[in-house]
């Protein structure tokens, strides 16, 4: 059985559902429901080889509107050091699917596909300089509706410990594209762009305090449809070991904002907001068991259009280096919810659910 389907079967009996609203993927976000009234079709890509990309290809006549990453194997040391990372989680350059890749392990891409005439277009940035932010700018007449990142250079130690991290993946403040940044390496941003009259508005939070949550709140009469995280400060050791991580990247439980949080540093949340009568509903799962997957299941008559994750417990060494990672944040294979999983800690999945 497909590993994603296996997880889905296991989760159907275990996941609890709360009638509330929540990462890509942010988690990348799908296109606004007004732009895509047809419920997205979910396509699951094949499990990749170790360290290779997986692509979930949209059927003929459809194009990508969002997606996520599902980890099948994730590498870490016996002592706890993380040897793996999600280095790609983005629309394909051609807009015909979603692609994901891990540094060492096996991954599956999960795409949300809509009819081509309802789908956003795709814009891809040039590679950034080392450790610098880069923007994929939407064409004239369009605005950002979602996006993702693709790492070109990712740093790690000879022993395997990661020395890099995707610290930012979010809509731009002006709403004209998608931003991405790594701590040390080179990255490309990939934007999903919708016509101006159908695109969400953008709201940016103030920077959080150290290790505190940031909340980008939609204006009155509007609700969240997606978003992302932008890191202002990110902690790591002089030797390179990562001391920080993105703990939350998700809709708020009330559906009125996007929430982001780092383990140690300062972060800004960036929300994509639409009129309340066009917005998806939100469902939040119970916390997972340690290292287990959990699913936020959409109510009957609705389908997943986006989602994110919120970490409840996150493991690290006394010295500070991270021993945990959000390895999965993705639509479920059946399209009925959002799945999240950490390597060691407890996490909650948050689904954005639109009418089917």
């Amino acid at each position: 059985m497909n590993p994603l389907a296996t997880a889905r079967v296991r989760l159907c009996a275990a996941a609890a559902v709360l009638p509330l609203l929540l990462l890509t993927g942010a988690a990348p976000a799908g296109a606004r429901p007004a732009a895509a009234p047809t419920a997205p079709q979910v396509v699951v890509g094949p499990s990749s080889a170790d360290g290779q990309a997986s692509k979930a290809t949209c059927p003929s006549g459809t194009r990508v509107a969002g997606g996520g990453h599902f980890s099948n194997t994730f590498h870490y040391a016996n002592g706890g050091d993380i040897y793996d990372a999600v280095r790609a989680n983005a629309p394909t350059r051609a807009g015909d699917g979603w692609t994901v890749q891990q540094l060492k392990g096996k991954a599956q891409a999960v795409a949300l596909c809509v009819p081509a005439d309802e789908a956003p277009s795709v814009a891809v940035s040039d590679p950034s300089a080392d450790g610098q932010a880069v923007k994929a700018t939407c064409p004239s007449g369009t605005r950002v509706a979602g996006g993702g990142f693709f790492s070109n250079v990712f740093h790690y130690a000879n022993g395997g410990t990661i020395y890099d991290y995707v610290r930012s993946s979010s809509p731009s403040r002006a709403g004209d594209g998608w931003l991405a940044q790594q701590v040390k390496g080179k990255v490309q941003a990939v934007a999903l762009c919708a016509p101006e009259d159908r695109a969400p508005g953008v709201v940016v939070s103030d920077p959080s305090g150290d290790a505190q949550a940031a909340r980008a709140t939609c204006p009155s009469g509007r609700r969240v449809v997606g978003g992302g995280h932008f890191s202002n400060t990110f902690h790591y050791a002089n030797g390179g070991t990562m001391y920080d991580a993105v703990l939350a990247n998700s809709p708020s439980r009330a559906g009125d904002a996007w929430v982001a949080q780092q383990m140690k540093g300062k972060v800004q949340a960036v929300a994509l907001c639409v009129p309340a009568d066009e917005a998806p509903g939100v469902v939040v799962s119970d916390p997972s068991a340690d290292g287990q997957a959990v699913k936020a299941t959409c109510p009957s008559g609705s389908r997943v259009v986006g989602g994110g994750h919120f970490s409840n417990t996150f493991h690290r060494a006394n010295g500070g280096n991270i021993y945990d990672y959000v390895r999965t944040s993705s639509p479920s294979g059946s399209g009925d919810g959002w799945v999240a999983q950490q390597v060691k800690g407890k996490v909650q999945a948050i689904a954005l659910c639109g009418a089917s």
Side-chain angles (χ1 to χ4, degrees), residues 143-172:
R143 304 274 290 172
V144 71
F149 61 87
F150 186 90
S151 173
N152 293 82
V153 179
F154 198 95
H155 293 239
Y156 56 97
N158 289 337
T161 305
I162 61 169
Y163 282 2
D164 216 340
Y165 203 99
V166 177
R167 58 184 286 180
S168 298
S169 183
S170 85
S172 65

Side-chain angles (χ1 to χ4, degrees), residues 17 22 28 31 43 62 69 80 82 105 112 120 134 152 180 226 238-239 244 253 287 289-290 295 329 346-347:
V17 178
L22 168 211
V43 177
T62 68
H69 62 91
I82 298 299
L112 294 171
V134 70
N152 293 82
N238 289 339
D244 216 340
R253 288 162 166 76
D290 287 330
K295 182 170 74 170
S329 186
K346 295 178 172 68
V347 68

Side-chain angles (χ1 to χ4, degrees), residues 184-199:
K184 294 190 174 186
K186 295 178 171 67
V187 68
Q188 287 180 270
V190 186
L192 291 170
C193 305
E196 287 182 351
D197 62 346
R198 289 158 42 187

